[in-house]
Amino acid sequence: PFSGGVGRTRSPRGDGARPTPAVTMGRGQAGYTKMTDDSRIEIERDVKPLLSSGGGDGVGYGSDADPDDERFYCGVDRELLFNTPDDGLTEHEAAARLDRFGPNKLREVKVDIWHKLMMEFVQPMPLMIWAAILIETMQAFINKSADSWIDVFVLLVLQLLNVFVGFFEEMKAGDAIAALRDSLKPEACVKRGGRTYNCDATTLVPGDVICLGAGGAVPADCTLRHGKPIQVDQAALTGESLPVTMSTGSDAKMGSTVTRGEIEATVIATGSQTFFGKTADLVQGVDELGHFEKVLREIMVLLVAVGAIICAIVFLYLVTIGVNFWEVLAFNVVLLVASIPIALRVVCTATLALGCHELAAEKAIVARLSSVEELAGMTILCSDKTGTLTLNKMMLQEDLPTFAPGVTKREVLKLAALAAKWWEPPKDALDTLVLNAVDLRELDAWEQTDYMPFDPTIKRTEATVRKKSTGESFKVSKGAPHVLLEMCDDKDKIRAAVDDKVLELAHRGIRSLAVARTKGGEDGPWEFQGIMTFLDPPRPDTKHTIDCANEFGVGVKMITGDHKAIAVETCKVLGMGTHVLGTESLPLMKAEDLEKAQTLGRDYGALCQSADGFAQVFPEHKYLIVEALRQQGFLVGMTGDGVNDAPALKRADVGIAVQGATNAAQAAADIVLTEPGLSTIVTAIVTARKIFQRMKNFVIYRVACTQQLLFFFFVSCVFYHPNERNDDWPNYFYIPVIALVTITILNDGTIISVAYDNVHASHLPEKWDLNILYIVSSSIGMTALMSSLILLSYALSSNDPTSQWASWGLPALSYGEIQCLMYLKISLSDYMSVFNSRTKGWMWSRAPSRVLVGACIFATSISTILSLYWPFGNGMQGISGDVALLCWLYVLFWAVLQDAAKVMTYSILHSLGYVESVDVIDEEALKQSREDFLAVSVRD
């Protein structure tokens, strides 16, 4: 089947049937026949499946077998299933097996976008808004009130804003599996019934005979049949830097690529049963709430619980004093809606989205918004080695020991180049390195009279060269050191030195290639010349990145599929510590077992925590390591670039795919780097911590506002009785629904400006300490509450000529004006709380951004204008300019008192040891150090 060009193939029936023309299908697949479905059916219509139970559909294949028994594949005897004749399976047999085992593709997860959107409307907070809308609608029908219809409209706007903004920002479902599925190569060359042709790779079945050729992808897990050895690039699967030589009996994995040679192979696993498919299953199994969503939910549950209790007390009290049931119900539901931070998720999501633009400018593309918050709190970074910490490109090392008298390193390299076809493009990575290390023009003085290409069975290549000017000729060979040593006459003299050097290099994980030549002519004795050394070196910025990460409180652990010696050597170079463990310490668990395992942290957490790295691991091991550390309470990041990294990238709190990563790794990751190297990660950590700081400031602000609003109306409804001051006033104080919702929309709508605030990144990983957050929020919110209650007392006494209010020369206020005054006061206090919340010290210790100041001016101006010219009715009346000015001065004075309460609270918490004094990152110094480092790297 490997004959090139266009030809004819013999009919397998031997009956003189018209032969099918062979069609050239491309490099490595020349001469493969492409058949039509009709021709296959005609040829094999009388042939019955080998393994079917008589029905021809494959049903019942080994159905009674234990699926976990190694002797069986999906319940079928492996010996029977994979014992395929040289002509391959028949078409009928292949069809039966396709029915039994399914297509050669990954499991698909489909997400109904419309169902996902509808579910957003029935989450706890939207349900509360629906309840408020329903009650307001019923009240509007019962009372035939236009004011109630305005309330309904405003609540609907709030509902749609809350749902759609969050939905469109976070909508990303099934991308990881889609990319893994797309990365399957669709074409395969299969041999069935003696015919070789191209087919859809999804139709391959276990037992199929396929043809593998240079440049083609391996379409399924397979075992090589008889033939010459081939070289297979498995870097994306195992982390191996160099192609692996495979021969008869070796297993090639789906997703790898043949780089040299041609051979037939028997398919031994398809779809989700392949190494590649199990990787996809691991990715698919990861589906849970992110860390940030859990924090938001915890905050919401607490505030809703407190709010519900307060509103229940207010409801019972107002009903017992004779207030209309529907009015009380509407007021309480809207009070709950307005007081708890409904927009918390929306504003935080939008803040994260804006922060993603900052990260994009730093060459980091964010695929999952909440990963930004998790990156800020990341405490351990697990990193793949090949292609992530290293270049995934073998480099010729300076260390080149020589063993022949008078021979220089330059001469050894020249001899190595003569052992290749230097005038042709290099055939492999090592030839490329050797030829790039010498001046090819010097080699033109020689001609190659004989050449033996690299043979994996004898592990060397050999050439005979003759110098054009003198006619001098000799043989030169390069290959495995121990093979060349045995060829040389001087082996006994240098054996100890060569063995010691090779052993030293092996312990350091450095690959070696020996060079030897004949002396005195082609048939002269062989002389050992020297050993070239090769290593996949770290990226230029890797060590600097690891040092910075350690300084910023992030521990780095290396996880690689490469050999332990190479892992240890890489750790030494990077200064990471050399406690590297192999897979003997970790079990190889199935995907479904890993997903369900709840004791990984208990069983392996301490082991993973103590190790500096892990070597020779499979994707399941990487997944286990990440999950064990997560169960220990660490926020774990994972960097990688290959298919073998995808499960761990998905399982980690923060999955980071480096530049040049495979589609599978990029889709499974939360953050994708678009610039070579890891230095972008340090920049992303700094940026993420600043974004976290902004979100934390917003949460402190919003909780403080909730406390002020909720407790203000609780106290004013239960303990304040306006009718005692004026018989025409109600017997409890409240402000209309429209005013409550206006406060929520206006302040939360403009507070998005915190995303642009000036903040500093913490020197240590960030974390949500909700107890401290509630205490700090209370110091601000309760001080604001006190000021609101004092102002309400003054305003209610404004009709008393002997009151403090009257002594200030201010006019008496109607009940509607008092409502407007309190609306303005609460609105202004809310926004002043933003400036209190943004620093641990005094609010003027760090200048706010222009955007934040602009948003403050806008929101407070609108609130002031509304209080002066209240347009929505509902019994409220605009206040005079003098009263509005007094309110402004009053709020500014209390803002300083709120700030003093916050500073005092932080001081007490610090003295008690509950709050650390953490330095901030000097971004200018970090930027300068990075530039200096890169400048040194360029000079080197």
Side-chain angles (χ1 to χ4, degrees):
F2 298 110
S3 58
V6 178
R8 297 277 178 177
T9 55
R10 181 176 299 176
S11 167
R13 294 184 297 177
D15 58 1
R18 182 181 179 182
T20 305
V23 182
T24 300
M25 303 306 296
R27 189 177 71 163
Q29 298 176 351
Y32 297 158
T33 306
K34 186 150 188 169
M35 297 176 59
T36 65
D37 292 336
D38 291 340
S39 64
R40 286 187 223 129
I41 294 171
E42 178 189 353
I43 291 172
E44 304 191 25
R45 61 190 173 201
D46 298 326
V47 182
K48 294 182 179 180
L50 298 174
L51 298 180
S52 73
S53 55
D57 58 0
V59 176
Y61 280 7
S63 55
D64 296 330
D66 181 359
D68 293 327
D69 194 325
E70 288 296 326
R71 296 173 299 167
F72 298 91
Y73 174 88
C74 295
V76 182
D77 189 324
R78 288 178 180 270
E79 185 175 348
L80 183 61
L81 188 65
F82 301 142
N83 188 22
T84 308
D86 291 339
D87 285 345
L89 301 176
T90 65
E91 293 295 339
H92 284 194
E93 176 65 21
R97 295 190 184 194
L98 188 62
D99 285 342
R100 170 65 179 86
F101 301 112
N104 180 35
K105 61 182 182 180
L106 308 185
R107 287 190 296 159
E108 299 181 17
V109 173
K110 294 182 179 178
V111 177
D112 188 335
I113 301 243
W114 295 110
H115 177 263
K116 184 177 176 65
L117 178 59
M118 290 302 104
M119 290 303 295
E120 290 290 332
F121 282 100
V122 293
Q123 297 302 312
M125 292 314 304
L127 285 175
M128 289 186 59
I129 302 179
W130 284 129
I133 291 172
L134 178 63
I135 293 168
E136 284 292 338
T137 303
M138 294 174 66
Q139 187 177 12
F141 274 114
I142 293 171
N143 299 334
K144 301 189 184 305
S145 168
D147 291 340
S148 293
W149 284 116
I150 293 175
D151 294 342
V152 170
F153 174 75
V154 174
L155 285 169
L156 272 172
V157 170
L158 182 63
Q159 178 76 298
L160 295 175
L161 251 143
N162 182 47
V163 169
F164 280 107
V165 172
F167 174 74
F168 285 120
E169 290 287 0
E170 293 186 340
M171 222 275 297
K172 177 181 176 285
D175 285 351
I177 298 303
L180 280 171
R181 189 168 59 250
D182 292 343
S183 65
L184 281 171
K185 303 298 184 292
E187 289 287 315
C189 181
V190 67
K191 187 178 183 182
R192 289 177 181 167
R195 301 263 181 164
T196 304
Y197 56 91
N198 269 25
C199 71
D200 184 345
T202 62
T203 63
L204 291 180
V205 296
D208 255 332
V209 175
I210 58 175
C211 304
L212 304 178
V218 179
D221 285 4
C222 55
T223 297
L224 303 191
R225 296 167 74 91
H226 293 290
K228 291 185 178 181
I230 62 172
Q231 288 192 330
V232 179
D233 181 358
Q234 300 185 121
L237 296 173
T238 65
E240 285 278 359
S241 303
L242 286 175
V244 177
T245 299
M246 293 187 174
S247 55
T248 301
S250 299
D251 290 342
K253 306 295 186 186
M254 173 194 283
S256 54
T257 304
V258 179
T259 60
R260 178 185 287 185
E262 295 175 338
I263 198 170
E264 291 184 349
T266 303
V267 174
I268 59 171
T270 59
S272 293
Q273 296 300 316
T274 63
F275 179 90
F276 193 95
K278 291 174 182 176
T279 298
D281 289 346
L282 278 175
V283 176
Q284 183 169 271
V286 179
D287 183 22
E288 66 170 30
L289 283 176
H291 181 259
F292 183 51
E293 285 83 355
K294 291 178 182 177
V295 170
L296 287 185
R297 178 167 292 188
E298 188 174 340
I299 295 172
M300 296 290 280
V301 166
L302 177 64
L303 295 181
V304 168
V306 173
I309 293 171
I310 298 284
C311 287
I313 296 173
V314 171
F315 177 83
L316 292 173
Y317 172 76
L318 294 179
V319 168
T320 56
I321 64 174
V323 182
N324 178 272
F325 174 82
W326 287 106
E327 287 184 19
V328 174
L329 187 60
F331 174 75
N332 272 270
V333 172
V334 176
L335 173 59
L336 187 58
V337 168
S339 60
I340 60 179
I342 292 176
L344 180 64
R345 175 170 168 263
V346 176
V347 174
C348 285
T349 298
T351 303
L352 287 170
L354 289 170
C356 290
H357 291 294
E358 293 184 42
L359 288 173
E362 301 294 343
K363 309 301 182 183
I365 306 302
V366 177
R368 181 174 62 88
L369 289 180
S370 62
S371 63
V372 176
E373 179 266 346
E374 288 152 2
L375 179 62
M378 182 175 67
T379 50
I380 291 180
L381 176 63
C382 298
S383 178
D384 174 51
K385 180 187 74 70
T386 307
T388 304
L389 296 176
T390 66
L391 294 169
N392 193 20
K393 184 170 67 174
M394 298 302 290
M395 300 288 286
L396 189 63
Q397 303 298 292
E398 289 293 328
D399 186 10
L400 199 163
T402 60
F403 297 88
V407 174
T408 65
K409 295 180 180 180
R410 180 185 177 89
E411 290 172 341
V412 173
L413 290 173
K414 185 176 177 179
L415 288 170
L418 288 172
K421 291 188 176 183
W422 66 86
W423 62 93
E424 293 182 359
K427 296 297 190 298
D428 58 35
L430 295 184
D431 275 354
T432 301
L433 294 174
V434 170
L435 295 179
N436 286 339
V438 300
D439 186 351
L440 296 181
R441 291 171 298 181
E442 295 181 8
L443 304 183
D444 291 338
W446 299 82
E447 65 176 348
Q448 202 172 83
T449 59
D450 192 17
Y451 179 71
M452 182 184 71
F454 180 80
D455 186 344
T457 58
I458 62 173
K459 299 184 184 304
R460 70 184 183 92
T461 184
E462 182 182 301
T464 303
V465 295
R466 185 179 66 85
K467 195 165 187 177
K468 296 176 182 178
S469 59
T470 64
E472 174 196 358
S473 66
F474 59 87
K475 290 180 180 179
V476 61
S477 180
K478 66 176 184 285
H482 68 279
V483 172
L484 265 61
L485 181 63
E486 292 303 322
M487 295 166 46
C488 298
D489 283 9
D490 58 346
K491 58 186 177 185
D492 293 332
K493 295 180 182 178
I494 63 172
R495 184 185 300 278
V498 172
D499 287 347
D500 288 346
K501 188 61 181 180
V502 170
L503 187 61
E504 177 208 332
L505 293 172
H507 284 163
R508 293 169 54 196
I510 298 177
R511 290 181 169 88
S512 56
L513 194 68
V515 179
R517 61 161 291 178
T518 59
K519 302 292 287 186
E522 298 177 20
D523 299 323
W526 285 92
E527 183 181 56
F528 200 92
Q529 301 295 301
I531 298 178
M532 298 182 294
T533 57
F534 302 88
L535 185 67
D536 179 14
R539 293 179 182 270
D541 60 347
T542 298
K543 189 175 189 310
H544 181 256
T545 300
I546 292 173
D547 291 342
C548 287
N550 288 331
E551 183 184 349
F552 298 157
V554 180
V556 182
K557 299 182 184 296
M558 182 174 67
I559 306 179
T560 179
D562 222 332
H563 295 287
K564 185 174 180 179
I566 296 174
V568 171
E569 178 66 16
T570 305
C571 282
K572 282 181 182 177
V573 173
L574 297 176
M576 293 176 61
T578 56
H579 181 42
V580 177
L581 299 178
T583 54
E584 67 279 356
S585 306
L586 301 171
L588 187 60
M589 301 172 66
K590 294 182 179 179
E592 56 269 24
D593 295 332
L594 282 172
E595 293 166 19
K596 299 173 185 176
Q598 300 297 319
T599 61
L600 296 178
R602 183 196 67 193
D603 299 337
Y604 307 104
L607 180 73
C608 295
Q609 190 179 345
S610 64
D612 298 312
F614 299 86
Q616 295 174 287
V617 298
F618 291 104
E620 290 85 351
H621 291 128
K622 295 187 179 185
Y623 187 104
L624 184 150
I625 292 164
V626 168
E627 179 60 13
L629 290 170
R630 291 181 76 247
Q631 291 183 13
Q632 285 276 298
F634 295 100
L635 270 179
V636 182
M638 174 74 196
T639 66
D641 68 330
V643 174
N644 59 328
D645 301 315
L649 288 170
K650 189 69 175 177
R651 174 73 279 178
D653 296 293
V654 188
I656 304 171
V658 299
Q659 192 264 349
T662 61
N663 287 344
Q666 290 183 1
D670 303 308
I671 299 173
V672 179
L673 306 184
T674 60
E675 191 174 73
L678 293 178
S679 59
T680 305
I681 292 180
V682 172
T683 309
I685 289 173
V686 174
T687 304
R689 289 182 186 180
K690 291 169 69 175
I691 295 169
F692 183 97
Q693 191 64 46
R694 290 168 183 146
M695 287 194 301
K696 187 167 72 171
N697 294 345
F698 170 73
V699 172
I700 291 174
Y701 147 79
R702 200 58 187 83
V703 172
C705 291
T706 295
Q707 290 176 341
Q708 179 190 198
L709 196 65
L710 194 60
F711 286 105
F712 172 76
F713 284 104
F714 168 68
V715 174
S716 64
C717 283
V718 176
F719 299 104
Y720 280 71
H721 307 289
N723 62 341
E724 294 177 358
R725 307 279 184 165
N726 188 320
D727 292 338
D728 295 330
W729 293 354
N731 57 352
Y732 68 98
F733 181 80
Y734 72 99
I735 62 175
V737 168
I738 184 66
L740 290 173
V741 179
T742 301
I743 291 173
T744 300
I745 291 178
L746 189 59
N747 282 10
D748 279 350
T750 54
I751 202 62
I752 189 64
S753 58
V754 298
Y756 299 97
D757 192 20
N758 295 326
V759 293
H760 296 310
S762 168
H763 211 273
L764 295 177
E766 294 278 12
K767 61 181 178 179
W768 291 101
D769 191 333
L770 295 183
N771 292 328
I772 299 299
L773 185 147
Y774 295 142
I775 293 171
V776 173
S777 297
S778 298
S779 67
I780 298 171
M782 290 305 176
T783 307
L785 168 65
M786 189 186 306
S787 66
S788 296
L789 293 174
I790 292 173
L791 182 62
L792 177 60
S793 299
Y794 282 141
L796 289 174
S797 66
S798 63
N799 287 294
D800 183 357
T802 62
S803 66
Q804 185 68 46
W805 184 273
S807 68
W808 291 338
L810 295 169
L813 302 176
S814 66
Y815 185 72
E817 288 175 320
I818 295 174
Q819 287 179 312
C820 246
L821 171 64
M822 296 314 299
Y823 160 77
L824 177 60
K825 195 279 170 189
I826 292 171
S827 295
L828 296 180
S829 283
D830 275 2
Y831 226 99
M832 290 304 109
S833 298
V834 174
F835 297 100
N836 298 138
S837 304
R838 57 184 298 276
T839 62
K840 285 186 177 181
W842 293 97
M843 58 182 172
W844 51 80
S845 60
R846 185 176 70 243
S849 68
R850 293 181 180 179
V851 176
L852 183 60
V853 173
C856 173
I857 293 172
F858 173 79
T860 53
S861 296
I862 296 296
S863 297
T864 303
I865 292 170
L866 287 177
S867 67
L868 292 172
Y869 312 100
W870 185 257
F872 302 121
N874 277 276
M876 291 177 64
Q877 297 175 330
I879 58 177
S880 66
D882 291 343
V883 175
L885 177 60
L886 171 73
C887 184
W888 263 95
L889 295 174
Y890 183 83
V891 169
L892 290 174
F893 171 76
W894 276 92
V896 177
L897 296 183
Q898 289 170 206
D899 212 44
K902 173 207 67 181
V903 171
M904 186 181 300
T905 301
Y906 271 123
S907 178
I908 294 172
L909 290 172
H910 181 264
S911 64
L912 295 175
Y914 292 112
V915 174
E916 292 183 80
S917 179
V918 179
D919 294 333
V920 296
I921 296 173
D922 187 338
E923 293 183 59
E924 287 299 322
L926 177 63
K927 183 179 179 181
Q928 187 61 47
S929 70
R930 181 184 177 188
E931 291 176 353
D932 293 344
F933 177 82
L934 292 176
V936 170
S937 299
V938 169
R939 286 197 298 271
D940 291 344

